[in-house]
Amino acid sequence: MLTENLHRPLVWINGSPGAGKTLLVCSWLEKQQTRFLWYRMDSGNNISADLFYFLSLSAQRNYPRKRFKLPVFTAECANDIKAFASVFFRQLFALLEKESALVFDDCQEIENDPDFFQVLQVALHELPEGLQIICVSRNKPAALFKRLSLTEDLLDINNKSLRFTEMESAAFINWLNPDIDAQVSTALYLKAEG
């Protein structure tokens, strides 16, 4: 699904804890063999400041020999976060050369923060072609993104999509241990519910 939908600017992967959301994104990005920026959300006091700061650090890590300075989020910027985010993402995206994705992991930690959705909307607006934003969350995408679903700009990968079919499960179990018989494989599939 991810490979077939590279044209969609926003991918929202949601499912219960342990469903394989982060592993899916990691393994897919590894298979793509492209660079990416990854930010794991936490519910600290300075959500916006942390987001911009750590995205800057991540970009610097991807380009250690390149000297660049992205705008620094200060207390004054909090008054007009959309304006700051617009300048920040425009400059950030102009610096990125080989990245295929900007990943926000554990989005459920800050989904109740209205600034996060403003920042995400701005990032999507500034997003250049060929780059995707991937959000990993335990929760479904906010109603705010329903418009993106209608225009096919949003790929929603949910619990149902993350579950193995019985055939996929059997292939995986066989890969782990070829000596496991079909009955045990089926029992494991049923117990794990895919």
Side-chain angles (χ1 to χ4, degrees), residues 4 11-14 17 42 49 53 55 73 75 84 93 114 117 119 142-143 149 156 159-160 167 173-174 179 182 194:
E4 292 169 3
V11 177
W12 194 279
I13 301 174
N14 59 95
D42 73 29
Y53 174 74
L55 282 177
F73 187 84
F84 176 84
F93 294 150
F117 287 108
V119 167
S149 295
D156 180 12
N159 258 338
K160 184 178 178 187
M167 201 162 76
I173 291 169
N174 186 51
D179 296 331

Side-chain angles (χ1 to χ4, degrees), residues 3-4 27 49 51 73 77-78 103 109 120 137:
T3 303
E4 292 169 3
S27 60
L51 172 71
F73 187 84
C77 299
V103 181
E109 295 294 324
L120 189 54
S137 177

